[in-house]
Amino acid sequence: MKAYSGHFIDGQWTQAPNPEAIEVVNPTDEQVIGSVVAGTPEDVDRAVRAAARAFETWSQASPQVRADYLTRIHQALEERAEDVARLVASEVGTPVQESRVLQSGLPVFTFGHAAELATGFDFGPEEIGNTHVVREPVGVVGCITPWNFPLHQVSLKVALALAAGCTVVLKPSEVAPLSAMLLAEIAESAGLPAGVLNVVTGYGPVVGEALADHPDVSMVSFTGSTRAGRRVAELAARTVKKVALELGGKSPNIILDDADLQAAVTDGVAKCYLNSGQTCIALTRMLVPRDKLEEAGRIAAEAARGYHVGDPQDEETRIGPMVSDVQLKRVRDYIATGIAEGATLLTGGPDAPHDGPGYFVAPTVFTDVTNDMTIAREEIFGPVLSILPYDTEEEAVAIANDTPYGLAGAVWSGDPERARAVARRIRAGMVDVNGGAFNPLAPFGGYKQSGVGREAGRLGFEEFLETKAIQH
């Protein structure tokens, strides 16, 4: 068990006097696997002051110097890739086959790409008439990250902010903080200058709010629920901070009448159940032509029954546990609500898929869902698929957009041009066409209540920059 008795501030591991410990529980066997400290606003203040001091020199360091540090972190993460994959499988319940790619592989990629951005980006000057236009780091960045992709979401913020010349105070999720603490250890071993990266653990209403409200924080980058994102934005507005918010989703998957139904439905199930359904971009609303509803339901239910539920450390597992007992109850309650509101349960359900410990939910498929039902409106964050019928393409687009969210979506058609035309009509930040693969360099973020700003790649990097006009 890894127990942290303090925070990582100004290049040192602090020792909090009489700290309140937050236990980290393995959702597979419900055993404690680690602990971190419940931080205070005073801890946040010390971390922000350290980051502000470090900003004076880090922001002026050459892009090559910043890239060299990021490369060292990239290499260390690469060397420990299997450890990271196994750790996150224990923290979150991600099946280890997925964890190697998503929870470990993506952070390795992101730190490597951040090093390339640091040296390859044109910071200026750009000449516009009698004006030099330059791009400069925004300042101290407060990063508040979720539990479902604990190191990946940290890396998207931290690596790109550091590459831009910002310094960082990171508040990882208290549910799954151990991989973030591992990153702090790696940053320390890489010789990252004191104060450039600081990590303060604790609860959102205490540490997260203190970070969002701190007057010396220039920007807050937050990933989490829409409700919490509203609160972060409210606090940041007091000092007119820049904010980037990656929030919730209820993503539609429109399968058009000329699509390969078998391929489209099978892919849709996979993209609903990714990370055991604990994914903000999960394609949880599958829209199919009414005359194909029964066949689509049969294909989806058959696919769902093929997903092995079990220990995420097992190479055969495709659905691991929910991250916590709270999340388990939430998902089961949504399933019960779906049944009560009249949706047809094809497979799965609220009952545990097997006896024994662990926060497990059976992969679930509903059909005959209407878009006014709770399971079609609210983000469930579990392996629950809703299949909705439509009569016309126009109606499909209307249903897809009839949501406060706009994070992701998908379209399937035998005619790629038709699929792309429909994709352009979906009000979402990322839309897959005919099973398009995830691109870690593409801008990631949402429309409407799914967020503000973008993460990943060059556009995510630019979120951490300000624009200055110098007249001459």
Side-chain angles (χ1 to χ4, degrees), residues 193-282:
V196 171
L197 172 62
N198 307 272
V199 183
V200 180
T201 54
Y203 296 107
V206 179
V207 173
E209 294 205 2
L211 189 55
D213 196 37
H214 199 290
D216 294 330
V217 171
S218 299
M219 175 181 175
V220 180
S221 180
F222 170 84
T223 298
S225 71
T226 297
R227 177 192 55 78
R230 292 192 193 102
R231 178 60 176 163
V232 167
E234 176 189 345
L235 292 168
R238 295 179 182 179
T239 48
V240 198
K241 291 177 175 59
K242 186 175 184 179
V243 294
L245 305 173
E246 198 274 282
L247 308 176
K250 194 66 182 175
S251 302
N253 181 11
I254 299 177
I255 299 175
L256 295 171
D257 54 12
D258 62 347
D260 179 334
L261 194 64
Q262 181 73 41
V265 172
T266 302
D267 179 81
V269 171
K271 288 177 179 173
C272 177
Y273 291 169
L274 189 71
N275 197 26
S276 306
Q278 300 177 127
T279 307
C280 56
I281 59 172

Side-chain angles (χ1 to χ4, degrees), residues 338-378:
I339 295 169
E341 291 185 357
T344 301
L345 180 67
L346 294 181
T347 191
D351 296 333
H354 51 66
D355 295 330
Y359 309 131
F360 292 96
V361 173
T364 296
V365 177
F366 282 104
T367 191
D368 298 313
V369 178
T370 57
N371 210 39
D372 59 348
M373 291 181 178
T374 303
I375 58 172
R377 304 298 301 173
E378 298 182 12

Side-chain angles (χ1 to χ4, degrees), residues 309-331:
V309 180
D311 186 341
Q313 302 289 351
D314 185 337
E315 300 287 348
E316 301 303 315
T317 295
R318 296 189 70 189
I319 299 283
M322 301 297 93
V323 74
S324 66
D325 55 349
V326 172
Q327 187 62 18
L328 174 67
K329 182 180 186 303
R330 171 187 170 89
V331 175

Side-chain angles (χ1 to χ4, degrees), residues 63 116-124 135-136 458 461-462 465:
E116 295 173 359
L117 284 168
T119 55
F121 185 80
D122 183 5
F123 289 86
R135 309 296 298 279
E136 297 180 342
R458 179 181 61 81
F461 172 81
E462 290 183 12
L465 298 175

